[in-house]
Amino acid sequence: MSGSARLFERAKKVLVGGVNSPVRAFGAVGGTPVFISHGKGSHIFDVDGNEYIDYVMSWGPLILGHAHEEILKAVREYASKGTSFGAPCEVEVEMAELVTSAIPSVEMVRFVNSGTEATMSAIRLARGVTGRKRIVKFDGCYHGHTDSLLVKAGSGALTFGLPGSPGIPDELSALTTVLPYNDANALDDYMKKHGEETACVIVELIAGNMGVITPEHDFLEALKNVRSHGALLVADEVITGFRVAFEGAQTVLGIEPDITCLGKIIGGGFPVGAYGGPKDIMTKLAPLGDVYQAGTLSGNPVAMAAGLATLRILKKERPYDRLDKIGKTLENGLLEAAKETDVSITINRVGSVLTVFFNTQKVKNLEAAKSSNINLFSQFFHSMLKRGIYLPPSQFEGWFISTAHTEDDIRKTIEAARASFKELKV
Ligand SMILES: *Cc1c(COP(=O)(O)O)cnc(C)c1O
């Protein structure tokens, strides 16, 4: 028995499913999850000493790779001064200054401990500001596991075919309307009927949790129009913030949300989320306003230091063109390898995040994503793992490239994919 298999047996006795977050259990692809011992740059190592080129990268946060020296230095420095005070620290202010200077629509920000906490709090703020109850989300978008948003959700919920969850009262789900992603007419029609009762529309501007899917022009126009009904537009940039551009997906797409949710990259590998927006909205939060939200470890100095170090490097180096180039090389190589081996795939990519769909059609919404061949994906996943390539263990996730990924990593990945495509049994 391998070290990973032994650990999984132990884990299953005391952790539910052996894990602390469902997709890690490999349920969708079968087999035993790999237990990681350490990582460096673009590579991770399991407890049995196997080495992998990593495309999970902690599900997005590690845009600079594992164990980046400058981030470690900041973490050590801050940790040695005391790890938490429950009182304000300078590093929180520096971090807030950097985030607000990066994203034009964000004038003020509140730090929390996860992306889920950010979206949950953003919904409360939107309801508090507008005095309305209804909210809108899109099919296959994932905004964390908070009750109101775990309705037809993506990510693990989609992977396991559990897009909702017992334990969420119908009365609450009834306030969430789910519309198809990339369907401008559906959104326009809904807003005409219910716009005046709607607190907010929350959206992943670029969807990342049903696989990567980009928004179409008319859908973005419909999103911009939400405000004419007095509803707020909440952009969930937990993945895309500092991933697709330093200024966020919203700036690239020319859309100005009322509230922006951040997470993943801004924590530099530590648990950090944030939500922010213009002053007139954010000042409705306690202690200035009466919408309440708090956190014992919010703005934790060590986590802030890791995030700040990350954002400072991204600001200085602006690696986005380089990441896009690496992404394009990988995309082209995978497409070529699939063509040579007669495997049908579709790749959706935005800069350094991409999804290989085992699908013959163009994927622009959840319905198309779900028509992918999950069996082929699972075979491919295990063939790649065997060859030292660690992919997200689900068809409905993005592969994340970091600045630590080298041309050699990409070349090896394409070679492994070619061999894995050849092995697929239809
Ligand atoms: C990961 C993610 C979340 C949830 O963040 P957690 O830190 O896992 O709670 C929310 N929205 C999007 C778009 C995400 O990708």
Side-chain angles (χ1 to χ4, degrees):
M1 214 183 194
S2 69
S4 283
R6 261 199 309 275
L7 273 174
F8 194 44
E9 288 309 310
R10 254 175 77 196
K12 280 193 288 191
K13 294 197 178 98
V14 284
L15 289 167
V16 181
V19 293
N20 281 307
S21 194
V23 277
R24 294 180 198 167
F26 276 25
V29 291
T32 302
V34 171
F35 278 67
I36 306 303
S37 86
H38 62 287
K40 184 70 198 166
S42 57
H43 289 225
I44 49 174
F45 301 81
D46 71 16
V47 292
D48 295 298
N50 300 308
E51 183 172 354
Y52 306 89
I53 302 171
D54 185 14
Y55 289 97
V56 175
M57 301 310 286
S58 186
W59 301 92
L62 303 182
I63 192 168
L64 301 175
H66 293 274
H68 191 285
E69 284 306 331
E70 276 178 61
I71 299 171
L72 293 184
K73 191 167 148 257
V75 167
R76 283 193 200 103
E77 183 194 326
Y78 275 84
S80 70
K81 295 196 276 192
T83 53
S84 181
F85 307 105
C89 297
E90 185 175 0
V91 67
E92 296 169 274
V93 186
E94 292 179 285
M95 181 70 171
E97 284 167 351
L98 191 48
V99 170
T100 54
S101 73
I103 305 177
S105 74
V106 177
E107 289 177 348
M108 295 181 110
V109 65
R110 166 70 54 88
F111 290 109
V112 291
N113 304 291
S114 69
T116 295
E117 229 188 302
T119 58
M120 178 186 85
S121 309
I123 297 292
R124 181 178 307 143
L125 180 57
R127 283 175 165 154
V129 167
T130 58
R132 302 171 179 185
K133 290 182 189 167
R134 296 184 71 138
I135 62 172
V136 173
K137 79 175 281 288
F138 297 94
D139 210 358
C141 283
Y142 178 69
H143 305 292
H145 64 83
T146 187
D147 285 356
S148 302
L149 296 171
L150 200 57
V151 184
K152 298 202 178 171
S155 190
L158 175 59
T159 302
F160 291 111
L162 307 166
S165 171
I168 299 175
D170 293 342
E171 290 85 346
L172 201 57
S173 314
L175 296 175
T176 303
T177 298
V178 182
L179 300 174
Y181 186 81
N182 258 341
D183 189 337
N185 289 336
L187 180 56
D188 286 339
D189 288 349
Y190 168 90
M191 291 309 288
K192 267 181 216 134
K193 282 194 203 112
H194 301 293
E196 320 301 313
E197 311 151 52
T198 299
C200 68
V201 173
I202 184 167
V203 64
E204 287 181 77
L205 289 174
I206 298 168
N209 285 291
M210 46 183 153
V212 175
I213 299 183
T214 50
E216 300 196 331
H217 179 74
D218 60 344
F219 183 59
L220 288 174
E221 291 305 308
L223 286 171
K224 283 183 198 165
N225 201 28
V226 157
R227 212 176 278 137
S228 66
H229 299 268
L232 304 189
L233 180 64
V234 180
D236 182 348
E237 292 227 42
V238 170
I239 287 183
T240 53
F242 301 98
R243 164 66 60 183
V244 301
F246 192 73
E247 298 78 9
Q250 54 190 265
T251 309
V252 178
L253 298 168
I255 200 160
E256 203 169 299
D258 299 291
I259 305 177
T260 297
C261 301
L262 298 165
K264 300 201 166 111
I265 288 176
I266 61 162
F270 282 78
V272 178
Y275 59 112
K279 282 188 182 129
D280 61 329
I281 292 176
M282 293 307 288
T283 51
K284 298 291 193 297
L285 269 184
L288 296 180
D290 49 14
V291 177
Y292 196 73
Q293 184 272 313
T296 302
L297 289 166
S298 294
N300 173 269
V302 184
M304 291 287 107
L308 187 61
T310 304
L311 299 193
R312 280 185 175 152
I313 293 167
L314 290 175
K315 184 174 179 175
K316 193 172 92 201
E317 294 183 2
R318 304 268 172 170
Y320 299 99
D321 286 344
R322 183 155 57 90
L323 284 167
D324 183 55
K325 224 178 113 201
I326 304 172
K328 183 137 193 69
T329 308
L330 180 58
E331 177 184 352
N332 289 344
L334 291 170
L335 285 172
E336 210 177 276
K339 202 168 162 202
E340 281 169 26
T341 49
D342 273 331
V343 174
S344 296
I345 57 167
T346 290
I347 297 182
N348 284 0
R349 180 181 67 86
V350 176
S352 57
V353 53
L354 62 85
T355 300
V356 175
F357 290 101
F358 285 83
N359 206 317
T360 45
Q361 58 169 314
K362 197 167 174 290
V363 178
K364 56 171 214 169
N365 56 29
L366 179 63
E367 209 184 298
K370 282 207 310 212
S371 72
S372 304
N373 190 326
I374 307 296
N375 172 20
L376 286 186
F377 174 81
S378 301
Q379 290 181 45
F380 179 69
F381 169 83
H382 282 291
S383 291
M384 292 293 273
L385 190 67
K386 194 173 73 186
R387 294 183 167 83
I389 314 292
Y390 190 80
L391 302 177
S394 164
Q395 169 68 92
F396 306 110
E397 302 282 358
W399 305 12
F400 291 98
I401 298 166
S402 74
T403 56
H405 283 81
T406 61
E407 275 177 30
D408 193 48
D409 289 333
I410 301 301
R411 193 181 49 72
K412 283 183 178 146
T413 305
I414 294 165
E415 282 320 305
R418 192 186 318 273
S420 299
F421 285 143
K422 269 191 202 140
E423 265 177 24
L424 293 179
K425 293 192 185 67
V426 187

